[in-house]
Amino acid sequence: MSEPLIPSIDLDFTFPPPIPPEAVARANELMASGMLFRYGEFNASEQDAAMLEREFAELVGTRYAVAFNSCGAALTAALYAVGVAPGDQVLMNAFTLAPVPGSIARLGAEPVFVETTADLTIDLVDLERKAAGPEGKVLMLSHMRGHISDMDAVVEICARNDVTLVEDCAHTMGAGWAGTPSGAFGTVGCFSTQTFKHVNSGEGGLLVTDDDEVAARAILFSGSYMLYAQHGVVPPDDVMRRQASMVPNCSSRMSALVAALVRPQLPLLVERAELWNARYRQLEAGLNHRGFVLPVRPEAERYVASSIQFNPGLSPVEVEAFVALAAAHGVAVKWFGRDQPVGFTSRYDHWRYAAEQSLPATSAVLAAVCDMRIPLSMSEDDADLVVEILAACREATAGSQTGDHELHS
């Protein structure tokens, strides 16, 4: 393998922006007081988590929001709240990350994977087929890496087949489709505040819904005890009383400290989205020009692109060499085609706790998908340099294995 002169970059692709000063100040106040739990047993004053719930529900445009200690916990609560029970089958798109099928398995239910298109969204034809069949009457739809499906079509398929829609919005906080915020299409939407997401509290999750019964079950499931009145937005008392003895307490609520870190970041979402999307479009144009294949993003999609995915058009052996060479020159690229999971990156056939399923279209797509974070610290010059490095690494690794390669487009 010959290597032309390849530039390098000194950029931390995982470096998050600093926590806003007002969040740091509030966190220090809480630590000094020791009042880190979200509830107060006696004479409870206004709580950070309750205020976050009100503010987030208003942001998404839903009646309720419930704060959790992770998005995975919120996903589990969402499935429980819409009635998923042990042994049930839950539809989900095959291209996602491990916490999504994990939330299904945690309830003793079974994931049923739906094929993925080359544009990294759920295959509507396969969804129609499986929604009409006996596989399951709940769809856990992941907007994986911020790619939003045709939500008008998804909602119509679910409605026609009596399938309950739960949205995994871990990568789409602040995003939407045709004017409707992500998370507001389904019965439930779940968001992440984990580091590397659109707001950063280290770990955390938020569940939104308009449904009284679902909200009540989610609040109780999170671990409210009988202190549910301290939540920011609470269903009518008769609903809470009816559910209180029926729902297990799973101790997965958000702490006051996490909520204090999240609240001042919500007003920054619009500014962050503009910056991320500007860098994304710059990288997209540069990589397209150099012969990489990227997902087509529909006009109705209002994305918040904190990462970018592309197909370098190489064989698996060449992609492995390409990723290693890019890393050696400072560009951190993940690849979904590896035989074994690495770091955060895994795919449906790695999750052996799920029944073995054949998804040839998804397997072909993921064999070529490369994934790169877009840090907010990336400048225009950085983005141009990243494109140069990736193009040079692609040129250097192409032909490292003989044979013809199909470019999935």
Side-chain angles (χ1 to χ4, degrees), residues 181-202:
S182 173
F185 289 92
T187 301
V188 193
C190 298
F191 297 81
S192 175
T193 69
Q194 186 189 70
T195 300
F196 313 128
K197 301 302 192 299
H198 300 126
V199 298
N200 170 24
S201 65

Side-chain angles (χ1 to χ4, degrees), residues 233-257:
V233 274
V234 189
D237 192 59
D238 64 315
V239 178
M240 296 304 305
R241 288 173 180 272
R242 184 168 62 252
Q243 294 289 347
S245 62
M246 303 298 295
V247 177
N249 179 330
C250 291
S251 294
S252 51
R253 62 207 154 253
M254 181 181 285
S255 73
L257 187 60

Side-chain angles (χ1 to χ4, degrees), residues 18-353:
I19 300 298
E22 57 268 42
V24 174
R26 178 57 181 159
N28 284 330
E29 287 178 13
L30 287 169
M31 288 188 288
S33 73
M35 299 295 291
L36 306 183
F37 193 50
R38 72 157 294 167
Y39 305 115
E41 191 170 4
F42 302 105
N43 300 319
S45 60
E46 188 74 338
Q47 300 289 331
D48 293 83
M51 290 188 284
L52 171 61
E53 288 168 338
R54 277 200 299 274
E55 291 160 359
F56 197 74
E58 182 178 354
L59 177 73
V60 181
T62 53
R63 294 175 63 201
Y64 303 109
V66 186
F68 284 83
N69 59 19
S70 72
C71 185
L75 292 171
T76 301
L79 293 173
Y80 175 86
V82 300
V84 172
D88 287 353
Q89 293 183 312
V90 177
L91 304 175
M92 58 169 284
N93 39 320
F95 181 45
T96 189
L97 295 176
V100 180
S103 69
I104 298 170
R106 190 175 180 184
L107 291 176
E110 300 175 14
V112 175
F113 303 120
V114 180
E115 290 273 27
T116 302
T117 71
D119 293 322
L120 305 184
T121 56
I122 197 164
D123 185 306
L124 296 175
V125 174
D126 196 39
L127 174 61
E128 177 78 68
R129 182 177 66 82
K130 288 173 177 171
E135 284 89 350
K137 290 304 174 185
V138 174
L139 167 63
M140 175 76 84
L141 178 68
S142 266
H143 305 303
M144 175 60 172
R145 285 294 189 256
H147 294 278
I148 302 176
S149 303
D150 180 340
M151 293 307 298
D152 298 323
V154 170
V155 168
E156 194 275 331
I157 290 171
C158 288
R160 183 156 29 84
N161 293 284
D162 195 26
V163 170
T164 299
L165 174 60
V166 175
E167 292 181 75
D168 165 30
C169 306
H171 301 154
T172 53
M173 186 182 291
W177 176 270
T180 299
S182 173
F185 289 92
T187 301
V188 193
C190 298
F191 297 81
S192 175
T193 69
Q194 186 189 70
T195 300
F196 313 128
K197 301 302 192 299
H198 300 126
V199 298
N200 170 24
S201 65
E203 190 67 91
L206 289 152
L207 178 155
V208 297
T209 185
D210 286 327
D211 188 290
D212 288 349
E213 303 287 341
V214 168
R217 288 193 284 268
I219 288 169
L220 294 161
F221 190 93
S222 77
S224 68
Y225 302 92
M226 294 298 106
L227 302 173
Y228 49 76
Q230 293 181 33
H231 277 253
V233 274
V234 189
D237 192 59
D238 64 315
V239 178
M240 296 304 305
R241 288 173 180 272
R242 184 168 62 252
Q243 294 289 347
S245 62
M246 303 298 295
V247 177
N249 179 330
C250 291
S251 294
S252 51
R253 62 207 154 253
M254 181 181 285
S255 73
L257 187 60
V258 168
L261 296 177
V262 172
R263 291 183 60 227
Q265 295 181 64
L266 295 183
L268 303 177
L269 278 171
V270 172
E271 177 186 345
R272 289 178 176 180
E274 289 175 353
L275 182 54
W276 263 316
N277 290 348
R279 292 295 168 270
Y280 178 89
R281 287 189 287 268
Q282 184 181 354
L283 291 164
E284 178 187 43
L287 292 173
N288 271 326
H289 180 70
R290 297 303 188 94
F292 292 78
V293 176
L294 284 83
V296 175
R297 309 208 76 142
E299 186 176 342
E301 182 188 24
R302 188 180 78 244
Y303 55 82
V304 181
S306 59
S307 66
I308 188 166
Q309 292 69 46
F310 54 85
N311 176 354
L314 302 171
S315 72
V317 169
E318 292 168 344
V319 175
E320 190 164 17
F322 163 78
V323 169
L325 187 57
H329 290 272
V331 180
V333 176
K334 304 179 184 70
W335 174 40
F336 280 89
R338 294 189 185 277
D339 291 336
Q340 298 297 325
V342 175
F344 296 115
T345 306
S346 60
R347 61 173 189 262
Y348 77 93
D349 53 339
H350 295 149
W351 307 321
R352 300 296 174 82
Y353 52 83

